[in-house]
Amino acid sequence: MSPVIQYEIKNNIAVISINNPPVNALSQSVRQGITDSIHRLNQDPVARAGIIICVGRTFIAGADISEFNKPPLDPVLPEVISTIEASNKIIIAALHGTALGGGFETAMACHYRCAVSEAKVGLPEVKLGLLPGASGTQRLPRLIGAQAAIQWMVSGEHIEAEEAFKLGAIDRIVTGDLLVGALEFANELLAADATPVRLSEKKMLMDSASEKLIADYREKIDKQWRGYFSPQKIIDCVEACLNMPYDEAVKLERKLFNQCKASSHSKALRQLFFSERQVGKVPNLPRDTPVRELNSVAVVGAGTMGSAITVSFLNSGYPVYLIDQDETNLDKGISNIKKIYQSEFDKGRLSDEHLNERLSRLTTSLELSHIHKVDLVIESIIEDFEIKHNLIQQLQTIVNPNTIIATNTSTVDINRLIENTLYPENIIGMHFFAPAHLMKLLEIVRSNKTGKDVLATVTGVAKKLKKIGVVVNSGFGFAGNRIFLTYLREAQLMLLQGASPLEIDKVACEWGFPMGPFSVMDLSGLDVFYSIYKQLENAPGKYCYYPVSKVLFESGHHGRKTQSGFYQYQDSSKHENLQVIEISRQMADKYGIEQRRIDGEEIIERLIYAMINEGVYVLQEKIVSNPGDIDVIMTNGYGFPRYRGGPMCYADIIGLEKVYQSICEYDKQYPGNIWSPSGLIREMIDKGESFYET
Ligand code: 3HC
């Protein structure tokens, strides 16, 4: 018997326990062990039924994702699942933790299912660019109906056991010890002469209501999963479930699963899955690093960002002081916070009681001195080095010597901000993304002097805020903005060369970004970019090409907030701003830039390769510890399509040699070293390396 499986008889019932930490994924040894146990059960004269249960924190959480890049090893999961279902003796799945993907497919192959009420089930394969490929697309509709099954599979959500029970996906909720409850359930079934329920034997029927359901979902998915490959394939499988014999439909499912698995989308999403877990393991920061006590928080600056950061902390249970020295700003901040909560309340996501409880933890003040006792202060004031530096110096004379001071700067180098401060080890960057109460990403920026305990405390805070915290080293724009600014630079250079904001934005959206670069700049505000560009005036050529946005800003066009920027805004509609085309023509003349037609292929290549090249510099300069940090930042904070994996993963998919050759070509065409390729990429090509192991 496989070491990860134990077979034990308890009161004439075979208990098959899986023990494959951390999440009992279905790696080869588990699949082999389950198969062997089912054969043994069927030959065991003592055993009258079987229970599949797991040791540790969860029931099987799915197929082993790390095996997907390798050739499949026997027995493959669909065979294991068929073996379970074919058993002549009743098999019960006993669920706790998260029974997901192949784990829930295993449970559906069992003849009955019981679960503790805290358990969750689901088929989240869509989030990995896959479809449930071990007959899940065929069994789930038979278990809970086609409509609920499609909804579960295209959302990829984890469903609470109680809800699954109501829908019939679970036969019994066990209170108390799971194994005791599962044994009781088995004995009751045996006493009632129950027979194995094999879902594959249930007949399905396509009728006009199902046809409409399928058509509606196809349309819905086009919007919800724009650009993704696998969701429509899930619908194909459900359609097959309704109008094909089971065996044929399973064959189709297998074929489509393999197509999804081989797609670049799934490879990218699987890589992101591991990278998002990797970022939690900060190099040189042992898990047992002591953390500072953190019971109260202050946010200084009640602007849009400061008020949303306040909401984020209130939502996570902290008492929060919101400070602004300007009464009008403070009032606006308070009203912003109330607006956010009101909208949550109106959508039914927040009860009256929770709303009031959260607001009861908010204290507002015009006086900095009121926050002398807090454990963490986050400054969220104007993006100006001098003003931020003065505030941090002032704060350190007010708060305790071990209060952490975080700056929510998006570009300023923290190593400069700590100069001439009393406790540089207490200072760290917490770069939130707008809207801060909703966006998952938090760039945690350490300076050369940030204390390890401070870093450990802030990474813990990120988890408490339910954010993905990525630790980066300091430098202008850190990782995210530095890379994104090269994308915006290239968009603006192409504008000077004759492409319009509308053309460029359309190409970026078709490639998968939720918004194009010019719409993003208008949304954030050209005033924000103006203050960033001011910092760049003496920086090397790679950050130039912003004259159009500068002219727009200086003539009062600040983007959406003034109803005019790269576009004109009227009510809720957006129109081309013809002035922009004229300004770019004038600027092109001034700088001797020839205007021409730029096709979509060139537009997207330049936008993305500019990010890749800058990403390699960020890696080479050790601003981040590995390529996954960049990909997690760009996909979670900047709208880089997840199914493309982030710039570094995408470079691997295209091939580093091809990317490098194009970068070299652009380098020949454009002056100012803006396209100068990083040495690291050449070095990697020479060594035959890629950013990720394949
Ligand atoms: N395969 C391989 N490793 C897995 C895994 C899986 N399916 N699921 C989790 N892990 C690993 C993680 O990489 C992590 O490893 P690390 O400690 O070395 O970084 C460890 O397990 C713990 O994972 P988390 O940090 O995510 O732990 P949480 O407690 O926060 O979450 C979870 C647990 C909800 C199970 C979450 O890990 C998860 O969502 N896992 C993926 C579930 C999934 O997508 N299943 C479907 C797989 S595809 C499939 O089954 C195809 C089939 O239809 C044929």
Side-chain angles (χ1 to χ4, degrees), residues 315-468:
N315 288 351
S316 302
Y318 291 98
V320 186
Y321 286 83
L322 177 63
I323 309 290
D324 201 299
Q325 285 163 325
D326 180 297
E327 196 165 358
T328 317
N329 279 351
L330 188 59
D331 288 345
K332 266 196 203 156
I334 298 167
S335 122
N336 246 346
I337 293 171
K338 288 187 176 158
K339 238 191 251 164
I340 293 173
Y341 280 138
Q342 189 60 46
S343 131
E344 292 289 289
F345 177 80
D346 292 344
K347 288 177 191 150
R349 294 190 195 140
L350 196 65
S351 68
D352 219 6
E353 190 191 335
H354 281 125
L355 189 154
N356 291 330
E357 191 279 322
R358 284 177 199 188
L359 286 175
S360 74
R361 279 185 277 108
L362 174 67
T363 311
T364 59
S365 172
L366 296 167
E367 294 295 329
L368 268 187
S369 57
H370 281 164
I371 58 173
H372 64 283
K373 281 192 178 154
V374 298
D375 303 313
L376 167 68
V377 184
I378 297 148
E379 74 74 16
S380 181
I381 60 168
I382 182 172
E383 189 73 2
D384 179 294
F385 173 78
E386 290 301 333
I387 302 177
K388 279 189 188 291
H389 193 221
N390 287 342
L391 174 66
I392 289 173
Q393 283 177 320
Q394 193 189 352
L395 279 168
Q396 287 206 324
T397 62
I398 294 172
V399 295
N400 289 323
N402 61 352
T403 295
I404 299 174
I405 300 198
T407 164
N408 174 46
T409 173
S410 56
T411 48
V412 177
D413 185 351
I414 320 285
N415 286 324
R416 284 182 63 214
L417 274 180
I418 60 171
E419 283 167 13
N420 304 318
T421 55
L422 287 173
Y423 311 105
E425 67 279 11
N426 290 351
I427 299 171
I428 192 163
M430 284 176 86
H431 178 204
F432 287 85
F433 289 75
H437 60 298
L438 297 178
M439 291 289 282
K440 288 284 273 176
L441 182 66
L442 181 68
E443 225 179 351
I444 301 172
V445 193
R446 65 168 150 198
S447 78
N448 296 336
K449 294 200 174 148
T450 302
K452 280 197 174 178
D453 57 340
V454 171
L455 187 60
T457 309
V458 171
T459 52
V461 170
K463 281 195 191 115
K464 207 163 166 205
L465 299 181
K466 298 201 174 69
K467 301 215 179 274
I468 304 180

Side-chain angles (χ1 to χ4, degrees), residues 21-23 25-26 57-59 61-68 77-78 98 100-103 105 122-125 127-128 130-136 158 254 257 273-274 277-278 281 287:
V23 295
L26 285 157
R57 64 205 247 200
T58 182
F59 190 76
D64 186 340
I65 304 166
S66 64
E67 283 185 359
F68 285 158
L77 189 56
T98 42
L100 301 175
E105 288 174 305
L123 294 176
E125 285 86 345
K127 294 187 177 165
L128 297 169
L130 297 168
L131 53 81
S135 66
H158 300 182
R254 197 72 209 145
F257 174 81
F273 173 85
F274 288 115
R277 275 138 191 92
Q278 181 67 36
K281 297 166 192 145
R287 276 191 189 273

Side-chain angles (χ1 to χ4, degrees), residues 78 97 113 198 248 271 320 406 426 462 468 545 614 627 650:
R113 285 152 294 282
R198 300 191 178 94
E248 271 179 49
Q271 188 54 60
V320 186
N426 290 351
I468 304 180
Y545 300 115
E614 199 62 20
Y650 188 68

